[in-house]
Amino acid sequence: MGKKGKKEKKGHGAEKTAAKMEKKVSKRSRKEEEELEALIAHFQTLDAKKTQTVETPCSPPSPRLNASLSAHPEKDELILFGGEYFNGQKTFLYNEFYTYNIRKDTWTKVEIPNPPPRRCAHQAVVVPQCGGQLWIFGGEFASPNGEQFYHYKDLWVLHLATKTWEQVRSPGGPSGRSGHRMVAWKRQLILFGGFHESTRDYIYYNDVYAFNLDTFTWSKLSPSGTGPTPRSGCQMSVTPQGSIVIYGGYSKQRVKKDVDKGTQHSDMFLLKFEEGREGRWVWTRINPSGAKPTPRSGFSVAMALNHQALLFGGVCDEEEEESLEGDFLNDLHFYDATKNRWFAGQLKGPKSEKRKRRRGTKAEPEGANNQECGGASAQAPLEVVKEVVAEDGTVVTIKQVLTAPGPAGQPQSDEDDSPEEAGGPVVEPCPRSNAMLAVKHGCLYLYGGMFEAGDRQVTLSDLYSLDLHKMDEWTALVEADPETQEWLEETDSEEDSGAGEGAEGGEEDEDSSEEDEENPIT
């Protein structure tokens, strides 16, 4: 009995110690949150000084990732909002609003009073009603040293017709998070997953919420069946049949003290509304056929032609206990929900141009009649192992046997090409993760993102387009040289990575180092 009592006493002591630690960590986390809230409030005070909407023609936006790129529902425009940038020492967050005029190939910075606070890894969904609305939920704000995070749980709508921001306050919504996914479904916004991270802990979600666009109310859905495990950064898309597909994503769990193990999910689920049973949803796991993407995280998603979901790039992480190596990708994949099948997107190359050259006539720029996607320069075609037209008549060229895509700029070996045809480099986005995608008039637009070169993170600001009808070649609309990007060594940051001062001063430093961009802080 005595031994048992000692064990019980020892157990109670351990519980008390754990409870004290939990309380201490919670207190520290709350303090960090309050510090970030004060910083966010400071930025909002500066934003509040803007009382009029000002539109200024500008050069392309500065490098960033985890922003949102959306197609305007009525105009030939793309909408860029938010994002983040890391220069090796400091993290910069944005709440800038840019529009890209597709026909004119011009950028405009639009400063609108009372915008959402600076953020990245949020979700943006465009709906057509009332002249177009851009809905934004959640995302995160980071301290200048990138070690503290604040996760938003706010909902905003940008009325595109009047260019006014409105914060929609409705109880019962999701908790603060980033890396979640959100789609428009009928007259609702459906939100899934995401994560919340503090200095000491993190949590991933697999909950589902619906926001009614008529009543402006949140409701938490409780689907039956076995759904996805908690994750962030997955693919979420609506099928032609009105169901919702979830694919892949990323999560991590602690395997021992200060050691986390990440998981790159490659499973797929269908969330279906049950007809005849009001408010009832059901999860079903599905196993699509075809050329499935290799496991990855940080991929980008857009809705392509014929309601097909398009997946681009990402990174395949190889984790050791003390290190993390990433293989960045730039391949394209299409998921056809009607057939429950994956297809690997393969470019054909500018074939019409080759034929013109062989007849001895002057080649015309491919896409000269396609104003939406811009003119394409004459490039050598990509080598195609085999071409197969999809059964539904889509123009996507299919590789039946999927092989890992080669690195950007891989040399071609087509013996039929003449010397002048074989000489040009392949134009395509370099491998990257966390890029922004949007589709307008059957043309895919890709902006920014990042890749790693050794210990350096390279953030991109380039813009590419690809005609999804032709699937011939990428067009570089904005080119960027990563070598010109500022990178400050981490060893130098310890001297000047102060908390509050770095937060405000960092933004001013960004102003002085980037002539092309005006930061909201003045």
Side-chain angles (χ1 to χ4, degrees), residues 53-109:
T53 299
V54 179
E55 300 187 35
T56 310
C58 64
S59 54
S62 60
R64 63 193 66 199
L65 66 147
N66 288 327
S68 58
L69 186 67
S70 310
H72 196 294
E74 295 187 354
K75 298 180 180 180
D76 292 332
E77 286 183 354
L78 303 180
I79 301 165
L80 180 71
F81 173 78
E84 64 176 311
Y85 169 73
F86 179 60
N87 69 357
Q89 290 184 2
K90 292 178 182 176
T91 299
F92 302 93
L93 278 297
Y94 305 108
N95 64 345
E96 300 162 326
F97 177 73
Y98 290 93
T99 60
Y100 173 71
N101 187 303
I102 295 171
R103 291 182 179 274
K104 297 179 180 178
D105 187 26
T106 55
W107 287 93
T108 301
K109 185 175 181 180

Side-chain angles (χ1 to χ4, degrees), residues 158-216:
L158 174 63
H159 301 280
L160 297 174
T162 59
K163 290 189 171 64
T164 53
W165 283 108
E166 176 189 354
Q167 183 174 3
V168 179
R169 303 179 188 274
S170 177
S175 56
R177 63 188 67 195
S178 57
H180 51 288
R181 292 296 178 257
M182 188 169 72
V183 295
W185 182 84
K186 297 184 178 179
R187 296 285 296 168
Q188 298 183 74
L189 302 176
I190 308 294
L191 184 147
F192 169 81
F195 74 99
H196 182 285
E197 184 173 10
S198 63
T199 306
R200 295 277 176 168
D201 205 3
Y202 53 82
I203 181 172
Y204 284 79
Y205 301 104
N206 63 346
D207 46 4
V208 186
Y209 285 83
F211 180 77
N212 191 300
L213 293 170
D214 294 317
T215 62
F216 279 23

